[in-house]
Amino acid sequence: MKEIPKMMKFCFHTTSPMLSAQGLPILMILFAASGFFISPVAFAVLFGMIFMGLVLTYGGIEEKNFNKQYGILPIERRNITRGLFCYYFAVGFLGEICGILLSCLSYLLKLGRFLPWSNEQQFIMRDTFYDPASLIMSVDVSVYVMFVSVFFMSLFSMLLCIFGRENRTKIIAGIVGTPLIIAALFIILNENDLIPVIQIRSPDAFLKPQKVIKWIVMNISVLGLTLLFGEIASSKQAAKEL
Amino acid sequence: MENILEINGLCKKYEGFSLKDISFSLPKGYIMGFVGENGSGKTTTIRSILNMAKLDSGSISVFGLDSVTDTVAIKQRLGVVFDSLYMGEHLNAKQVERQLKPFYENWDSDYFAKMLKDFGLPDNKPVGDFSKGMKMKIMIAAALAHHPELIILDEPTSGLDPVARDELLDILGEFIEDENRGVLFSTHITADVERIADYVTILHNGKVWFTGTKDDLTEMYAILKGDPDDIPAGISEKLIGYHKYRNGFDALIPGTELKNIPDSLEHEKATIDEILVYIAKEDKKHERDT
């Protein structure tokens, strides 16, 4: 078990230098400023970007030459893959927590009031940004960004391990295309009255009073899915040669 | 003598290539040159030692441990250098250390820093921007920083200039001063092997053609030259890589056959390079005959 945190550190030390490259810091400062002065939702977007930077770049670097490095390191083969998936979750989860904390801080400080708002319309906009509902929405967005990023990254990595990197384009097409095809199918069936209409309450209707529970459930479920995908991927990966 | 590395009956088959019954051992305190032409199976053997390739049959023991079941324990005590940079090219030396350090119980940061200084490597420049010689040195520094007992180098000198090659050989010479250590050094530049190796294993077409001390090898074979008509009966079949010229012939001959050679034929000690060339010639002859 000690090997998984080591592998997570390895992934972090590999990708963290990339965050200071290619103008990303300026973009990050802009988003952070937007988060404090305009809308806390900007933090969710910021940490989504950082997630992409820390996770996607690792995939790119790894693909080039890490097979040899993995072959040298004193670590079980399966723990290399497990560590990678745990890293995805850790980065996503930390991003979510930072997004929530900074959103709360932004809400408490309300720095936007120091901006030179000039007309009625802008005043309304400012008040909307610092409405409690806006804070709830910001937290919601942080949780959703984390859920979607971690879920799709884990799913994508697992499919890469199963079908091989040479099928990368097909896998991306599959991940993007499948939900679209299903949605299109439902729309067509619905438009033609081919599926019965069932009146159900919107999930929000009964989750609203328990937002916090919903957030916790989303986190736990994405952790479970990541571990499951990681386990499947590691068993496939361990059978391959480096 | 206690062996630091032992390979017994290693077989590994790929499409179009196979390792057949590879067996050799390296005693503690020595450097072994692992020689063979490109595609002879050196890298596959090394990948098998590192458990990067799965064995079809046979066994590999490093420090007396099994290479498959004890791979993590082995790699704690093993340093590896490849022919090309295996690290993230965007990382500098400090970042490489941060990446590797958590994995090794005996990682010595002071020693790593000392090696960077001794090798003249900057710690703030991406390793991908290093010259070929500097890339080799950063891999050596990373391989030695956890004080390994065995170093495996896969063609580290290919593409290096003579000065960088000389520096590398000096580093290996210093490393082996501790008699509990060992070096397996794969190369097709045989001059390096002649200079520092105590043992030599020659791979040819996926088989071990020779394994033993360097002195045994050079005494075991000689180059025979002269008039083809002077070759005694029964010797022709034992000649390796026989090549006839307008004025004579040359071939490699096992040292044990020299007593049956008439004085009219000349013979001289064969270098490892020459031995490899004659093995290749013999192969081509067989291909032509079949």
Side-chain angles (χ1 to χ4, degrees), chain B residues 151-163:
Chain B
I151 312 185
I152 296 178
L153 304 102
D154 187 13
E155 311 237 7
T157 51
S158 59
L160 288 186
D161 63 59
V163 178

Side-chain angles (χ1 to χ4, degrees), chain B residues 102-161:
Chain B
F103 290 96
Y104 294 97
E105 288 158 12
N106 297 327
W107 186 275
D108 185 341
S109 291
D110 294 336
Y111 186 49
F112 183 72
K114 183 183 174 295
M115 277 188 287
L116 293 185
K117 203 177 162 194
D118 290 350
F119 295 162
L121 297 174
D123 58 8
N124 54 359
K125 188 179 170 185
V127 294
D129 294 345
F130 282 4
S131 67
K132 176 96 185 166
M134 288 162 87
K135 282 178 182 168
M136 184 270 293
K137 283 178 187 168
I138 184 77
M139 285 192 285
I140 298 254
L144 295 180
H146 59 284
H147 302 292
E149 292 157 52
L150 173 66
I151 312 185
I152 296 178
L153 304 102
D154 187 13
E155 311 237 7
T157 51
S158 59
L160 288 186
D161 63 59

Side-chain angles (χ1 to χ4, degrees), chain A residues 173-207:
Chain A
I175 288 177
V176 176
T178 308
L180 292 179
I181 292 167
I182 293 171
L185 194 69
F186 267 88
I187 290 167
I188 293 166
L189 291 174
N190 198 35
E191 286 295 309
N192 294 294
D193 293 331
L194 290 172
I195 44 173
V197 179
I198 305 164
Q199 293 293 340
I200 52 165
R201 290 167 69 200
S202 137
D204 264 3
F206 49 85
L207 282 174

Side-chain angles (χ1 to χ4, degrees), chain A residues 3 6-7 9-10 13-15 17-18 61 65-77 238-242, chain B residues 12 14 47 50-54 72 75-76 80 82-91 95 98-100 102-104:
Chain A
E3 290 181 346
K6 286 180 189 172
M7 190 60 208
K9 275 188 202 168
F10 178 92
H13 289 309
T14 305
T15 46
M18 305 295 271
I61 302 160
N65 50 7
F66 275 12
N67 269 3
K68 282 181 179 173
Q69 188 143 22
Y70 290 159
I72 294 172
L73 292 175
I75 176 170
E76 288 289 344
R77 285 280 296 282
K240 292 180 188 169
E241 295 194 342
L242 285 172
Chain B
K12 174 77 197 165
Y14 289 112
R47 287 177 64 243
L50 297 172
N51 198 29
M52 291 166 78
K54 295 186 187 299
V72 176
K75 286 172 187 174
Q76 278 290 349
V80 184
F82 286 111
D83 58 339
S84 60
L85 189 70
Y86 59 78
M87 299 157 173
E89 296 198 344
H90 63 295
L91 303 174
Q95 289 161 341
R98 273 202 286 271
Q99 209 191 28
L100 300 180
F103 290 96
Y104 294 97

Side-chain angles (χ1 to χ4, degrees), chain B residues 41-60:
Chain B
K42 300 188 295 289
T43 299
T44 306
T45 307
I46 288 176
R47 287 177 64 243
S48 302
I49 297 170
L50 297 172
N51 198 29
M52 291 166 78
K54 295 186 187 299
L55 318 182
D56 290 344
S57 62
S59 65
I60 300 173

Side-chain angles (χ1 to χ4, degrees), chain B residues 268-280:
Chain B
E268 60 192 45
K269 256 190 167 184
T271 63
I272 300 172
D273 224 8
E274 286 166 334
I275 292 171
L276 284 180
V277 170
Y278 282 104
I279 299 171

